[in-house]
Amino acid sequence: MNIDIKHIAKLSRLRIEDDKIEKFEKDMQSIVNMVEQLPDIDDTLTLDVNNAMKLREDVEVTDKYTREQLLKNAPQVQAGCLVVPKIVD
């Protein structure tokens, strides 16, 4: 399988220097090879009746902050909402 690091970098908006592309291709190929060698998992679910899972108790959170207290820490707020940079054109 051929892995096109330049295309992956473009899709993920990463800048990779040309001298490092070959290294990333080798690294990515070794990751894919390792994953391909993982054993298949049996689809049947086996439960141990004598060793049941212990779930934690739900605990009500009582020390909540108000919205105004949280928004005071934000760098920019507009109409009660956080303002974030636009990342999609």
Side-chain angles (χ1 to χ4, degrees):
M1 173 192 332
N2 186 17
I3 298 176
D4 187 359
I5 293 296
K6 286 184 180 182
H7 183 66
I8 294 171
K10 180 182 175 185
L11 291 175
S12 57
R13 294 185 178 193
L14 295 174
R15 186 179 6 177
I16 299 176
E17 288 85 23
D18 290 335
D19 60 330
K20 294 188 179 184
I21 289 179
E22 187 176 331
K23 177 194 179 304
F24 281 110
E25 285 176 347
K26 287 179 184 176
D27 290 347
M28 187 66 75
Q29 188 61 50
S30 66
I31 292 170
V32 170
N33 291 338
M34 180 200 60
V35 170
E36 287 176 346
Q37 292 177 8
L38 290 174
D40 290 334
I41 307 174
D42 187 13
D43 288 342
T44 60
L45 180 64
T46 57
L47 297 176
D48 185 3
V49 181
N50 298 323
N51 232 355
M53 293 187 325
K54 304 230 187 289
L55 302 177
R56 66 167 176 78
E57 286 186 34
D58 287 336
V59 179
E60 181 181 355
V61 177
T62 56
D63 58 341
K64 290 185 179 180
Y65 294 100
T66 65
R67 183 179 185 92
E68 291 75 26
Q69 288 174 317
L70 294 173
L71 291 177
K72 280 198 286 188
N73 294 318
Q76 191 175 359
V77 177
Q78 183 177 6
C81 300
L82 297 174
V83 179
V84 297
K86 182 179 178 181
I87 57 171
V88 178
D89 294 328

